[in-house]
Amino acid sequence: MVDFISQADRYLFPNYARYPVSFVKGEGVYLYDTEGKKYIDMLAGIAVNTLGHSHPDIVDAICKQASQLIHTSNLFYIQPQIEVAKLLVENSCLDKAFFCNSGAEANETAIKLVRKYFYDRGKPEKYEIITFTGGFHGRTIGSLTATAQPKYHEGFKPLLQGIRYAEFNNPDSLKDAISENTAAIMFEFIQGEGGVNPINQEFLQEIKNIAQENGLLIVVDEVQTGIGRTGKLFAYQHYDICPDIITLAKGLGGGVPVGAVLAKREIADSFQPGTHGSTFGGNYLATAAARVVLEHVLSDGFLEDVTQKGKYLEEKLKELGLETRGKGLMLGSPLPEDIKAGDIAKKALENGLVVGTAGGNTLRFVPPLIITRDQIDEALEVLAKVVQF
Ligand SMILES: Cc1ncc(COP(=O)(O)O)c(C=O)c1O
């Protein structure tokens, strides 16, 4: 056996608490480790492998693309990038797309875009963005500041200026946070890392009202909820709202790193040449993969199937005595205090099930969207063995 653990200790930064497992092969919802052990994957690379592992259409698309052209830079037109932008725009209420490489980068882009939009309108004093407790927006300094969770800030101060926090799902707290400097409100419809906490309808209505009364932009972080995860292409489509800016990453490339920002035309137009950019953003390889992901997710019946399978998973979790939160195939089960989600995830892994955890001692289920009901049963049989109440 390759001694990958001591090699990793020797050569890698110690910033991840890894499980003692390394996968060498994946197929659909299954993963295989260095010892040939098979696992069923309910984590999907943390809500990334939309079509499962090594989906033949993605493999085919990236192999073909790689043999033709991988990267040229955004100094030139990139046809698959334009096609992915078209798919995103034509299936949303927004008008234009920008491509980057990750969720954090998409959120950095959104923060810059909000500032530039107001600057261009002669209101540079409107730069403040309100974000919410329990949210997660990334690890770069801007997206980290937007992440209103002190545990992630420790040791990294001073943070970015111009981000203010309010309590999630608390309208009074949001009202208190508004000032003449407020430019935007930024949130997740379902806080993923924070514990799979959905926004409540009344709070969303309050956000809309406050944004309208104060001329604020609404920025939604759909890095985790986007690309079919909740049973709609975008989570905003469950609600009566059209955001001004949407950020995407994770599921968009099905495992190939790609992020995106969608915006209304008049907002996107603030990014004139020279204002923002990314060397790799939306290159041939990344957007060849994203195009395949979107074609599948937008194919007839795919999203309805995600919704139905989500309901099925929810029922099955309830049968195990677990509480559930979330939508579609983004579900969380908060555990009683005496059972640690981390311990359950570890035991599950030992038994051949990959499952995630999230804040608030929550188990997180974000499987590949192509999972079948039988595979859900298979995964929950393992879970039943390791979760005992
Ligand atoms: C909602 C949300 N936004 C942003 C991010 C950051 O994305 P990335 O790790 O690709 O930078 C994440 C990652 O978990 C996320 O869940």
Side-chain angles (χ1 to χ4, degrees):
M1 184 176 99
V2 183
D3 183 13
F4 56 83
I5 297 178
S6 65
Q7 293 280 298
D9 286 348
R10 165 68 184 82
Y11 293 111
L12 296 175
F13 277 27
N15 59 312
Y16 297 111
R18 300 178 206 267
Y19 295 106
V21 173
S22 178
F23 298 113
V24 291
K25 184 175 141 65
E27 199 173 23
V29 297
Y30 298 105
L31 283 166
Y32 300 85
D33 72 10
T34 42
E35 310 298 290
K37 181 174 158 187
K38 184 179 179 184
Y39 299 76
I40 184 158
D41 185 7
M42 295 292 277
L43 180 63
I46 323 186
V48 166
N49 302 100
T50 311
L51 305 183
H53 298 281
S54 297
H55 190 289
D57 293 349
I58 296 195
V59 172
D60 192 44
I62 59 181
C63 287
K64 274 200 187 121
Q65 189 58 61
S67 69
Q68 273 176 14
L69 194 58
I70 294 176
H71 178 83
T72 57
S73 94
N74 281 300
L75 295 173
F76 308 97
Y77 291 97
I78 299 170
Q79 292 200 25
Q81 182 187 113
I82 302 164
E83 288 168 36
V84 172
K86 184 169 184 231
L87 284 169
L88 291 170
V89 163
E90 290 188 345
N91 289 286
S92 73
C93 62
L94 298 183
D95 303 310
K96 293 199 169 199
F98 166 83
F99 290 91
C100 53
N101 309 286
S102 68
E105 217 187 313
N107 288 326
E108 290 291 332
T109 303
I111 293 168
K112 280 182 71 179
L113 188 56
V114 165
R115 289 185 175 187
K116 187 67 167 44
Y117 172 81
F118 283 103
Y119 175 88
D120 287 349
R121 276 152 189 77
K123 297 178 180 169
E125 74 285 0
K126 283 181 94 64
Y127 58 81
E128 212 162 70
I129 299 178
I130 297 176
T131 66
F132 297 99
T133 52
F136 186 89
H137 302 292
R139 302 281 196 159
T140 55
I141 209 77
S143 63
L144 177 72
T145 309
T147 297
Q149 299 197 52
K151 68 177 180 195
Y152 293 113
H153 297 164
E154 201 162 327
F156 298 110
K157 290 182 179 165
L159 300 177
L160 182 74
Q161 287 181 6
I163 306 275
R164 195 182 268 221
Y165 305 138
E167 198 183 320
F168 193 53
N169 281 333
N170 179 339
D172 291 334
S173 168
L174 172 58
K175 281 179 204 149
D176 288 347
I178 303 284
S179 76
E180 67 279 9
N181 301 119
T182 312
I185 303 173
M186 175 169 168
F187 59 94
E188 297 154 85
F189 288 101
I190 303 172
Q191 293 184 332
E193 298 295 316
V196 195
N197 302 316
I199 196 160
N200 71 43
Q201 287 278 4
E202 304 77 61
F203 186 61
L204 185 60
Q205 188 56 48
E206 207 56 66
I207 290 179
K208 278 173 61 184
N209 294 346
I210 290 174
Q212 198 170 15
E213 282 159 22
N214 296 276
L216 312 179
L217 299 183
I218 293 182
V219 181
V220 298
D221 178 341
E222 294 233 32
V223 166
Q224 193 158 156
T225 56
I227 318 301
R229 175 62 46 200
T230 68
K232 302 265 188 199
L233 184 61
F234 304 102
Y236 86 81
Q237 292 164 334
H238 290 285
Y239 308 93
D240 174 27
I241 188 172
C242 177
D244 296 294
I245 299 173
I246 299 177
T247 60
L248 298 167
K250 287 195 182 275
L252 178 59
V256 179
V258 57
V261 179
L262 307 181
K264 291 184 177 160
R265 183 180 317 276
E266 64 276 18
I267 301 169
D269 284 348
S270 277
F271 272 1
Q272 290 299 311
T275 53
H276 192 61
S278 161
T279 297
F280 294 120
N283 80 5
Y284 281 90
L285 196 70
T287 48
R291 182 173 53 191
V292 174
V293 170
L294 285 171
E295 282 165 1
H296 276 265
V297 172
L298 291 167
S299 66
D300 274 356
F302 188 99
L303 289 167
E304 179 51 30
D305 197 38
V306 170
T307 304
Q308 294 311 325
K309 290 183 300 195
K311 286 189 178 139
Y312 184 74
L313 173 58
E314 209 173 325
E315 275 166 31
K316 292 280 155 181
L317 289 169
K318 284 186 178 142
E319 280 172 23
L320 282 186
L322 292 165
E323 203 187 302
T324 61
R325 296 194 290 246
K327 264 192 190 348
L329 287 172
M330 180 173 177
L331 295 176
S333 291
L335 298 180
E337 258 172 43
D338 54 326
I339 305 173
K340 294 280 162 269
D343 294 343
I344 299 292
K346 204 162 151 245
K347 267 203 231 163
L349 195 67
E350 284 161 12
N351 285 276
L353 166 67
V354 186
V355 67
T357 59
N361 200 29
T362 303
L363 282 178
R364 176 166 33 167
F365 304 92
V366 282
L369 303 185
I370 47 109
I371 194 167
T372 64
R373 283 171 177 73
D374 285 350
Q375 289 164 340
I376 291 175
D377 289 344
E378 194 184 323
L380 289 212
E381 267 170 40
V382 182
L383 191 67
K385 272 200 265 171
V386 295
V387 189
Q388 272 131 22
F389 293 104

